[in-house]
PDB file of all heavy atoms in Angstrom:
ATOM      1  N   ARG A 542      60.410 103.246 -37.188  1.00 38.00           N
ATOM      2  CA  ARG A 542      61.306 102.083 -37.075  1.00 38.00           C
ATOM      3  C   ARG A 542      60.846 101.094 -35.997  1.00 38.00           C
ATOM      4  O   ARG A 542      61.117  99.938 -36.049  1.00 38.00           O
ATOM      5  CB  ARG A 542      62.737 102.571 -36.724  1.00 38.00           C
ATOM      6  CG  ARG A 542      63.433 103.264 -37.841  1.00 38.00           C
ATOM      7  CD  ARG A 542      64.848 103.605 -37.468  1.00 38.00           C
ATOM      8  NE  ARG A 542      65.663 102.451 -37.164  1.00 38.00           N
ATOM      9  CZ  ARG A 542      66.311 101.765 -38.086  1.00 38.00           C
ATOM     10  NH1 ARG A 542      66.175 102.065 -39.360  1.00 38.00           N
ATOM     11  NH2 ARG A 542      67.012 100.716 -37.760  1.00 38.00           N
ATOM     12  N   ASP A 543      60.067 101.625 -35.041  1.00 44.00           N
ATOM     13  CA  ASP A 543      59.547 100.724 -34.027  1.00 44.00           C
ATOM     14  C   ASP A 543      58.154 100.172 -34.335  1.00 44.00           C
ATOM     15  O   ASP A 543      57.423  99.786 -33.446  1.00 44.00           O
ATOM     16  CB  ASP A 543      59.546 101.392 -32.630  1.00 44.00           C
ATOM     17  CG  ASP A 543      58.699 102.665 -32.616  1.00 44.00           C
ATOM     18  OD1 ASP A 543      58.219 103.047 -33.751  1.00 44.00           O
ATOM     19  OD2 ASP A 543      58.528 103.252 -31.532  1.00 44.00           O
ATOM     20  N   ALA A 544      57.741 100.299 -35.582  1.00 40.00           N
ATOM     21  CA  ALA A 544      56.416  99.808 -35.984  1.00 40.00           C
ATOM     22  C   ALA A 544      56.338  98.284 -35.659  1.00 40.00           C
ATOM     23  O   ALA A 544      57.349  97.601 -35.777  1.00 40.00           O
ATOM     24  CB  ALA A 544      56.177 100.033 -37.491  1.00 40.00           C
ATOM     25  N   PRO A 545      55.170  97.778 -35.323  1.00 41.00           N
ATOM     26  CA  PRO A 545      55.051  96.348 -35.011  1.00 41.00           C
ATOM     27  C   PRO A 545      55.356  95.493 -36.207  1.00 41.00           C
ATOM     28  O   PRO A 545      55.084  95.845 -37.355  1.00 41.00           O
ATOM     29  CB  PRO A 545      53.579  96.224 -34.585  1.00 41.00           C
ATOM     30  CG  PRO A 545      52.893  97.371 -35.200  1.00 41.00           C
ATOM     31  CD  PRO A 545      53.918  98.487 -35.228  1.00 41.00           C
ATOM     32  N   ARG A 546      56.032  94.373 -35.983  1.00 40.00           N
ATOM     33  CA  ARG A 546      56.406  93.436 -37.058  1.00 40.00           C
ATOM     34  C   ARG A 546      55.301  92.469 -37.375  1.00 40.00           C
ATOM     35  O   ARG A 546      55.507  91.591 -38.176  1.00 40.00           O
ATOM     36  CB  ARG A 546      57.652  92.675 -36.647  1.00 40.00           C
ATOM     37  CG  ARG A 546      58.843  93.598 -36.316  1.00 40.00           C
ATOM     38  CD  ARG A 546      60.011  92.838 -35.937  1.00 40.00           C
ATOM     39  NE  ARG A 546      61.133  93.694 -35.588  1.00 40.00           N
ATOM     40  CZ  ARG A 546      62.363  93.281 -35.343  1.00 40.00           C
ATOM     41  NH1 ARG A 546      62.602  91.946 -35.338  1.00 40.00           N
ATOM     42  NH2 ARG A 546      63.312  94.109 -35.035  1.00 40.00           N
ATOM     43  N   HIS A 547      54.227  92.521 -36.673  1.00 42.00           N
ATOM     44  CA  HIS A 547      53.150  91.541 -36.832  1.00 42.00           C
ATOM     45  C   HIS A 547      51.916  92.086 -36.309  1.00 42.00           C
ATOM     46  O   HIS A 547      51.936  93.105 -35.549  1.00 42.00           O
ATOM     47  CB  HIS A 547      53.509  90.268 -36.113  1.00 42.00           C
ATOM     48  CG  HIS A 547      53.966  90.525 -34.723  1.00 42.00           C
ATOM     49  ND1 HIS A 547      53.066  90.803 -33.690  1.00 42.00           N
ATOM     50  CD2 HIS A 547      55.173  90.625 -34.208  1.00 42.00           C
ATOM     51  CE1 HIS A 547      53.748  91.059 -32.601  1.00 42.00           C
ATOM     52  NE2 HIS A 547      55.040  90.968 -32.841  1.00 42.00           N
ATOM     53  N   ARG A 548      50.820  91.494 -36.538  1.00 37.00           N
ATOM     54  CA  ARG A 548      49.571  91.894 -35.981  1.00 37.00           C
ATOM     55  C   ARG A 548      49.258  91.063 -34.749  1.00 37.00           C
ATOM     56  O   ARG A 548      49.450  89.851 -34.712  1.00 37.00           O
ATOM     57  CB  ARG A 548      48.416  91.656 -37.000  1.00 37.00           C
ATOM     58  CG  ARG A 548      47.021  92.103 -36.453  1.00 37.00           C
ATOM     59  CD  ARG A 548      45.969  91.846 -37.410  1.00 37.00           C
ATOM     60  NE  ARG A 548      46.416  92.273 -38.727  1.00 37.00           N
ATOM     61  CZ  ARG A 548      45.604  92.469 -39.753  1.00 37.00           C
ATOM     62  NH1 ARG A 548      44.353  92.352 -39.630  1.00 37.00           N
ATOM     63  NH2 ARG A 548      46.071  92.829 -40.961  1.00 37.00           N
ATOM     64  N   THR A 549      48.832  91.724 -33.680  1.00 35.00           N
ATOM     65  CA  THR A 549      48.483  91.015 -32.490  1.00 35.00           C
ATOM     66  C   THR A 549      46.997  91.193 -32.278  1.00 35.00           C
ATOM     67  O   THR A 549      46.496  92.302 -32.183  1.00 35.00           O
ATOM     68  CB  THR A 549      49.272  91.593 -31.246  1.00 35.00           C
ATOM     69  OG1 THR A 549      50.637  91.447 -31.433  1.00 35.00           O
ATOM     70  CG2 THR A 549      48.805  90.936 -29.964  1.00 35.00           C
TER      71      THR A 549
END
Side-chain angles (χ1 to χ4, degrees):
R542 290 183 62 84
D543 59 352
R546 302 181 181 185
H547 47 79
R548 180 180 318 196
T549 299

